[in-house]
């Protein structure tokens, strides 16, 4: 009993499903869902704009005649209609197109308000022949009349490809002989406004496809997608009208633009396939919102607005401000996010390649969107390979100081003997060998690891030579401060931030690191006590002209 009840329930859905042969690839304005063993034309639906004086009964009589389940078909194709008998002029209805013979021939109706008359296409008809026969037009007058016919048939994509049994609207004879003002001035604008596209523009669909491919998803827009039905057969979905998204976790999302899938079928899908879902979206909806809805409909992934910066690394601290964040719903590790989206206003605001590469190393893929597209780097523009952070570090403390002086642009000398007194004047020779000897234009500094005898210090003082004794028991940083103080170079220790920010917006990238800064005439030198990723160093060096050295 339950089996037959289920079968009758499903058969009630059949008229609402638009059918075509699996071997033919449907267009976006054709059938979007079908069942096996049904009889309809290849072009299974058409759009009809309600005219003044129309009623649902008149429309049924005109287009469907006595076909079975005619009112059910219209209701299923137009689920937004709560009451079939409450329609208004200018409203667009989706009507089925049945095979020739599935309904009675529809006689020509009288002119509606003196403006248009319906005509049912017959076997062998072409547009030029129809205009000649029905309107008594000459060959030269056909090009002048075609624009008016197109305005009256906004749901017909190509007047040169008409189906047998299809009903089109033709201008009344009075319109052809009247002045141009006889046609309402806003007719064309209204007709265009009333045509609702079944899918977003191709540019938006291409962006959606690229975004999905970067987030474990595949967008299917061609061919047929089959869903088996328990005991009764299968549903075939035309992907050109209802795109299908498959995720690597087994989730499948049907993108139902313009509310074409009936609620009864949607309920049937939910009841039989837990990993399938129907997403109701509007063709005019923002592509990123459609993408968000698709991601959130999957079992494993979620997408939300980037309300606060993402911490990519603790030290140095890397913060990235994203417009959208895609993450895992049940992550195996602490880090849930794996994809970030940034909306960029112009090409000059694109992120440097180094930060993208660094983010990928940390498991975050970054996608920038500019004018509705994902910019592609030109192959001709080659980015130099990342550079390694230079180092002045050394096991020996004197070698570290020597390397620092060299980095600062001085010319220090190691272990050079310096004669202080000779025997011609004093009767004996006196010399000293400092660990490092540094001579500048006006100064001479001797750096010792151990304090020299007092007598030598007195001689050096009388000769106006400066002496610096470093205490190797102190930290590296303390020894460097001693040297910098002797050189009278300003220095400070703090956390320094480098950031990329678009005008009027929060910083997109912020890099903050602890450093020992030395102020020089040719710019600051930052000393850090840890290594730095080559991509980060190259970014700081090229984009901020920051000179960093590890000590």
């Amino acid at each position: 009993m339950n089996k037959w009840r289920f079968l009758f329930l499903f058969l009630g859905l059949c008229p609402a499903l638009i059918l075509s042969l699996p071997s033919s690839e449907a267009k976006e304005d054709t059938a979007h869902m079908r069942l096996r063993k049904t009889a309809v034309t290849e072009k299974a639906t058409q759009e009809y704009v309600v005219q003044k004086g129309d009623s649902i009964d008149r429309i049924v009589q005109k287009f469907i005649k006595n076909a079975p389940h005619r009112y059910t078909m219209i209701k299923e194709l137009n689920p937004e209609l709560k009451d079939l008998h409450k329609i208004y002029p200018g409203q667009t209805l989706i009507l089925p197109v049945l095979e020739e013979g599935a309904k009675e021939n529809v006689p020509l109706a009288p002119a509606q308000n003196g403006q248009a008359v319906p005509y049912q296409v017959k076997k062998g008809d072409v547009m030029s022949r129809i205009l000649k026969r029905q309107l008594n037009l000459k060959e030269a007058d056909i090009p002048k009349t075609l624009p008016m016919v197109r305005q009256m048939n906004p749901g017909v994509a190509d007047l040169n490809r008409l189906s047998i049994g299809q009903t089109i609207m033709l201008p009344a004879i009075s319109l052809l002989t009247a002045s141009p003002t006889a046609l309402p001035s806003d007719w064309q604008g209204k007709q265009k406004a009333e045509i609702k596209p079944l899918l977003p523009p191709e540019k938006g669909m291409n962006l959606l496809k690229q975004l999905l491919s970067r987030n474990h998803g595949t967008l299917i827009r061609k061919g047929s997608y089959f869903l088996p039905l328990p005991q009764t057969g299968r549903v075939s979905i035309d992907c050109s009208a209802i795109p299908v998204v498959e995720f690597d976790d087994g989730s499948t999302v049907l993108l139902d633009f313009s509310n074409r899938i009936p609620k009864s079928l949607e309920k049937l899908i939910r009841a039989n396939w837990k990993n399938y879902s129907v997403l109701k979206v509007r063709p005019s909806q923002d592509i990123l919102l459609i993408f968000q809805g698709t991601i959130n409909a999957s079992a494993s992934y979620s997408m939300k607005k980037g309300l606060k910066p993402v911490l990519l690394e603790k030290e140095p601290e890397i913060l990235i401000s994203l417009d959208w964040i895609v993450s895992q719903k049940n992550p195996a590790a602490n880090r849930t996010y794996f994809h970030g989206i940034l909306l960029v206003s112009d090409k000059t605001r694109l992120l440097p390649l180094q930060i993208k590469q660094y983010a990928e190393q940390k498991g975050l893929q970054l996608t920038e969107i500019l004018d509705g597209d994902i910019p592609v780097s030109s192959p001709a523009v080659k980015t130099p390979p990342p550079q390694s952070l230079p180092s002045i570090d050394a096991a020996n403390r004197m070698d570290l100081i020597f390397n620092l002086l060299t980095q600062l642009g001085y010319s220090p000398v190691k272990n050079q003997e310096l004669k202080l007194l000779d025997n011609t004047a004093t009767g004996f020779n006196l010399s000293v060998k400092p660990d490092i000897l540094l001579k500048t234009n006006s100064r001479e500094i001797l750096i010792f690891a151990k304090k020299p005898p007092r007598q030598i210090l007195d001689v050096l003082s009388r000769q106006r030579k400066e002496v610096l004794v470093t205490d190797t028991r102190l930290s590296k940083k303390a020894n460097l401060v001693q040297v910098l103080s002797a050189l009278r170079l300003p220095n400070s220790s703090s956390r320094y931030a480098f950031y990329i920010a678009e005008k009027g917006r929060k910083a997109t990238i912020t890099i903050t690191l602890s450093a020992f800064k030395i102020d020089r005439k040719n710019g600051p030198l930052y000393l850090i006590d840890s290594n730095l990723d080559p991509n980060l160093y190259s970014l700081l060096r090229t984009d901020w002209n920051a000179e960093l050295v590890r000590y």
Side-chain angles (χ1 to χ4, degrees):
M1 183 64 184
N2 291 334
K3 175 179 177 180
W4 287 107
R5 184 179 302 168
F6 182 86
L7 179 60
F8 290 143
L9 171 65
F10 186 76
L11 289 177
L13 299 175
C14 294
L17 306 180
I18 306 171
L19 315 173
S20 63
L21 294 176
S23 60
S24 63
E25 185 176 314
K27 300 180 181 178
E28 288 187 356
D29 61 342
T30 64
H32 63 276
M33 189 164 287
R34 55 192 181 272
L35 284 179
R36 302 178 69 184
K37 298 182 180 178
T38 54
V40 294
T41 60
E42 185 172 328
K43 181 177 178 64
T45 62
Q46 63 179 323
E47 289 188 354
Y48 175 73
V49 179
V50 178
Q51 308 294 321
K52 186 176 180 181
D54 270 347
S55 66
I56 196 66
D57 296 323
R58 171 181 277 184
I59 294 172
V60 168
Q61 182 66 19
K62 184 190 304 181
F63 292 99
I64 309 177
K65 203 65 176 175
N66 294 324
H69 308 291
R70 48 194 177 278
Y71 289 100
T72 303
M73 279 192 282
I74 296 178
K75 183 63 178 174
E76 294 289 2
L77 290 175
N78 301 271
E80 73 280 0
L81 280 181
K82 295 182 179 180
D83 188 344
L84 290 178
H85 296 282
K86 291 183 179 180
I87 56 176
Y88 54 88
Q91 185 177 9
T92 300
L93 300 179
I94 307 298
L95 301 178
V97 176
L98 305 182
E99 284 185 349
E100 189 176 20
K103 61 176 181 175
E104 298 177 7
N105 290 332
V106 180
L108 287 178
Q112 298 182 4
N113 302 322
Q115 292 184 350
V117 292
Y119 173 78
Q120 188 178 59
V121 179
K122 298 178 177 58
K123 185 176 181 179
D125 272 348
V126 294
M127 197 67 238
S128 58
R129 185 179 300 171
I130 294 172
L131 294 179
K132 288 179 182 178
R133 184 176 64 245
Q134 296 299 117
L135 305 180
N136 297 320
L137 292 180
K138 296 181 180 179
E139 189 73 33
D141 295 327
I142 292 178
K144 303 176 184 177
T145 310
L146 280 175
M148 188 183 300
V149 177
R150 290 193 184 95
Q151 293 175 25
M152 293 181 171
N153 297 274
V156 179
D158 189 349
L159 290 175
N160 294 318
R161 300 181 65 182
L162 301 175
S163 303
I164 298 173
Q166 182 178 359
T167 299
I168 60 174
M169 303 304 293
L170 299 177
I173 298 298
S174 59
L175 277 181
L176 298 177
T177 57
S179 64
T181 56
L183 190 66
S185 58
D186 60 347
W187 174 282
Q188 183 173 359
K190 282 186 177 180
Q191 299 304 312
K192 288 184 178 180
E194 289 161 359
I195 301 175
K196 298 179 180 179
L198 296 180
L199 293 176
E202 192 63 24
K203 181 178 180 180
M205 292 301 292
N206 287 335
L207 175 60
L208 180 62
K209 180 180 180 181
Q210 292 182 72
L211 290 173
L212 286 167
S213 67
R214 297 179 178 213
N215 291 271
H216 310 290
T218 302
L219 179 65
I220 304 172
R221 295 183 58 197
K222 293 182 179 180
S224 299
Y225 197 91
F226 300 100
L227 293 176
L229 291 175
Q231 304 174 9
T232 59
R234 67 181 182 181
V235 175
S236 177
I237 299 171
D238 184 349
C239 299
S240 66
I242 299 183
V244 177
V245 179
E246 289 183 333
F247 288 97
D248 61 353
D249 64 353
S251 302
T252 301
V253 183
L254 310 181
L255 300 182
D256 182 16
F257 292 95
S258 302
N259 204 21
R260 308 301 293 274
I261 298 180
K263 290 183 179 180
S264 51
L265 179 61
E266 185 180 350
K267 183 177 180 181
L268 187 66
I269 291 174
R270 286 199 308 267
N272 289 278
W273 301 282
K274 301 301 181 185
N275 59 324
Y276 282 73
S277 59
V278 176
L279 181 64
K280 300 287 187 180
V281 285
R282 301 185 307 275
S284 59
Q285 200 169 341
D286 185 90
I287 285 296
L288 281 174
L289 294 179
I290 296 175
F291 176 58
Q292 181 191 22
T294 307
I295 289 291
N296 290 338
S298 69
S300 302
Y301 311 115
S302 65
M303 177 174 167
K304 62 181 180 180
K305 279 275 193 179
L307 301 179
K308 61 180 181 179
V310 170
L311 178 64
L312 197 59
E313 190 64 64
K314 290 183 178 179
E315 189 57 43
E317 184 184 75
I318 315 276
L319 293 174
I320 302 183
S321 295
L322 303 169
D323 293 290
W324 294 93
I325 301 172
V326 182
S327 57
Q328 295 178 344
K329 292 179 179 178
N330 300 303
N334 292 331
R335 180 167 293 169
T336 62
Y337 54 82
F338 62 86
H339 189 212
I341 299 175
L342 298 99
L343 306 180
V344 186
S345 60
D346 61 76
K347 290 184 178 180
T348 62
R349 303 297 179 181
L350 293 173
L351 290 178
L353 179 61
Q354 296 94 333
I355 198 66
K356 291 183 179 179
Q357 293 174 340
Y358 179 76
E360 282 193 20
Q361 292 174 10
K362 297 298 179 180
L364 177 65
Q365 184 180 20
L366 297 177
T367 297
E368 296 172 285
I369 298 177
L370 173 64
D371 296 330
D373 286 318
I374 298 177
V376 179
S377 301
S378 172
V381 180
K382 293 186 178 180
T383 304
Q387 309 170 35
S388 296
L389 177 70
S391 174
I392 61 171
D393 192 19
N396 183 283
R397 197 61 56 86
M398 286 298 111
D399 290 340
L400 172 63
I401 295 173
F402 180 86
N403 293 340
L404 173 65
L405 295 172
T406 303
Q407 184 72 35
L408 292 172
Y410 295 105
S411 300
V413 180
K414 286 183 179 181
N415 301 317
Q416 178 175 309
E417 187 172 354
L418 181 65
K419 184 177 287 188
L420 300 178
L421 299 174
D422 58 36
N423 56 10
T424 57
T426 60
F428 61 91
N429 292 325
L430 181 63
S431 62
V432 66
K433 186 184 288 186
D435 294 283
I436 298 174
L437 174 62
L438 178 63
K439 292 182 179 181
T440 66
N441 293 334
S442 58
R443 301 173 66 192
E444 192 172 0
I445 303 174
L446 288 74
I447 304 175
F448 296 92
K450 294 182 180 180
K451 188 176 182 179
R454 183 175 182 79
Q455 296 84 348
I456 293 180
L457 291 175
D458 290 340
V459 174
L460 292 173
S461 178
R462 287 195 297 269
Q463 294 183 3
R464 298 182 181 276
K465 299 183 189 309
E466 300 179 46
V467 176
L468 173 63
V469 180
T470 60
D471 188 350
T472 55
R473 294 172 299 178
L474 299 177
S475 65
K476 293 180 181 181
K477 182 178 178 180
N479 285 154
L480 296 181
V481 170
Q482 285 181 307
V483 175
L484 294 172
S485 298
L487 294 172
R488 300 167 192 157
L489 286 176
N491 58 88
S492 59
S493 295
S494 183
R495 289 185 62 79
Y496 299 94
F498 305 87
Y499 60 89
I500 299 176
E502 197 168 340
K503 187 176 181 181
R505 296 186 59 182
K506 58 188 177 182
T508 304
I509 304 292
T510 303
I511 303 174
T512 306
L513 47 82
S514 297
F516 179 40
K517 187 177 77 166
I518 304 171
D519 293 314
R520 308 171 299 174
K521 290 183 179 179
N522 58 338
L525 173 68
Y526 297 92
L527 304 183
I528 60 176
D529 61 359
S530 60
N531 207 352
L532 197 62
D533 181 87
N535 281 303
L536 284 183
Y537 170 70
S538 300
L539 177 66
L540 292 168
R541 191 77 182 94
T542 56
D543 282 53
W544 284 281
N545 199 28
E547 190 173 352
L548 296 98
V549 174
R550 184 170 68 89
Y551 71 94

